[in-house]
Amino acid sequence: MSKLKAFIFDVDGTLADTEKDGHRVAFNRAFAEADLGWHWSVDEYGELLSVTGGKERIHHFLSLRQPEFLKQQQQAGTLYDLIKKLHARKTHFYTELLAEGAIPLRTGVKRLLDEMREQGFRLAIATTTTPANVTSLLESTLGKESIDWFEVIAAGDIVPKKKPAADIYDYALEQMNLKAEDCIAFEDSSNGIQSSLGANLKTVITQNHYTEEHDFMGAAVVLDHLGEPDDACLCIAGDIGNASFMSVDVLKKIFDT
Ligand code: XBP
Ligand code: MG
């Protein structure tokens, strides 16, 4: 019989609401610094989030909104370098924002991580974002030592195919030498759940501003956030019984059903 052993977390949108006031702002700073005249509004960024990965997102934006510029850069053989440089600057601005404490963790995340650790569960991260972004977020919210709470931080270009492909979860499971049936994943988006379900992981969703309209078919449970004893979560799909916040006990019940 399979036993619950580990939890695997997505980062962007799941641990923290990083997209609107973090990644988006950092992309815009990189574009402004390079004098490109591009600016991603909150709504436009929501649409661009359909493509995961910052470099991939810039490419997607160019193909939609700047096809002539894209063609010129391709013909000149400079596209790859341009995107790489812009993305490196974006990572710089993003980690700078995090170091300033601009992005807090989502409701219930710290409490639940503490509870999981106290009970000896194994933890990992499976994300599309650049590794430096993960360590900066953990450092600025939970302290430097929290990086070691996660035995695997599977991030960014470590696998060639980003979410919605299952590769990043498959990679994390392989590194932990665990089977999908021993773990639960935490996600916030449609691309994220496609990836976790693709790796056969039971998945808990905490939706957010950008993902509340997403299709979460196949999720074990969909919540508005993880909740706190004094800040109840809303259960949008699935069943958490009488609980008003997510806990290891509730996760064990979800795992066994
Ligand atoms: C997160 C993302 C990331 C960030 C940017 O998706 O799509 O691309 O927006 O990260 P998920 P980088 O939460 O599903 O992993 O710019 O570092 O690529
Ligand atoms: Mg996410």
Side-chain angles (χ1 to χ4, degrees):
M1 198 181 119
S2 131
K3 191 173 172 307
L4 181 57
K5 297 187 182 116
F7 299 105
I8 312 180
F9 287 85
D10 169 49
V11 173
D12 296 305
T14 300
L15 293 185
D17 272 322
T18 50
E19 296 291 5
K20 176 166 80 64
D21 301 323
H23 290 293
R24 185 185 68 91
V25 172
F27 279 114
N28 284 333
R29 286 189 186 165
F31 300 154
E33 183 185 64
D35 220 3
L36 287 161
W38 310 335
H39 180 88
W40 291 352
S41 69
V42 172
D43 285 350
E44 178 170 33
Y45 190 64
E47 288 163 31
L48 295 171
L49 281 173
S50 63
V51 171
T52 62
K55 295 188 284 288
E56 294 81 354
R57 190 166 300 140
I58 296 172
H59 190 281
H60 176 60
F61 162 76
L62 293 177
S63 62
L64 289 178
R65 306 266 190 268
Q66 306 281 339
E68 278 310 311
F69 179 86
L70 176 71
K71 209 162 119 193
Q72 279 164 18
Q73 292 287 325
Q74 276 168 333
Q75 281 167 353
T78 48
L79 181 66
Y80 176 81
D81 265 6
L82 174 80
I83 292 180
K84 209 173 142 190
K85 276 189 195 134
L86 276 175
H87 189 253
R89 292 302 290 158
K90 177 259 166 177
T91 301
H92 165 81
F93 290 123
Y94 180 72
T95 52
E96 196 172 66
L97 273 169
L98 291 180
E100 287 163 9
I103 312 279
L105 293 180
R106 291 192 67 187
T107 306
V109 168
K110 178 172 186 315
R111 175 190 53 75
L112 190 58
L113 286 173
D114 285 344
E115 199 191 340
M116 289 165 171
R117 293 178 58 243
E118 274 158 25
Q119 298 196 27
F121 285 97
R122 296 167 65 185
L123 301 176
I125 277 174
T127 175
T128 307
T129 209
T130 300
N133 299 347
V134 184
T135 46
S136 289
L137 180 71
L138 293 177
E139 260 181 62
S140 67
T141 55
L142 294 166
K144 212 176 175 55
E145 64 286 354
S146 65
I147 294 161
D148 297 330
W149 298 357
F150 299 89
E151 63 178 86
V152 176
I153 296 185
D157 298 327
I158 202 157
V159 290
K161 278 192 278 159
K162 293 185 177 172
K163 297 175 189 177
D167 302 29
I168 197 74
Y169 278 104
D170 288 338
Y171 175 87
L173 288 169
E174 196 183 299
Q175 293 292 307
M176 296 171 95
N177 201 16
L178 283 175
K179 296 198 190 87
E181 66 226 47
D182 302 328
C183 310
I184 291 179
F186 288 79
E187 274 290 351
D188 72 300
S189 70
S190 145
N191 281 323
I193 192 171
Q194 286 178 57
S195 174
S196 59
L197 291 183
N200 295 315
L201 285 152
K202 271 201 173 160
T203 305
V204 170
I205 297 289
T206 46
Q207 62 181 31
N208 57 53
H209 162 76
Y210 275 133
T211 68
E212 56 197 14
E213 302 295 324
H214 285 194
D215 179 1
F216 293 121
M217 179 81 87
V221 63
V222 181
L223 307 174
D224 60 344
H225 52 72
L226 294 173
E228 289 286 6
D230 61 354
D231 184 1
C233 61
L234 182 70
C235 184
I236 296 146
D239 185 12
I240 59 167
N242 293 327
S244 61
F245 59 92
M246 186 50 82
S247 65
V248 168
D249 267 356
V250 175
L251 288 165
K252 282 180 184 162
K253 282 183 199 139
I254 289 172
F255 183 76
D256 289 332
T257 51

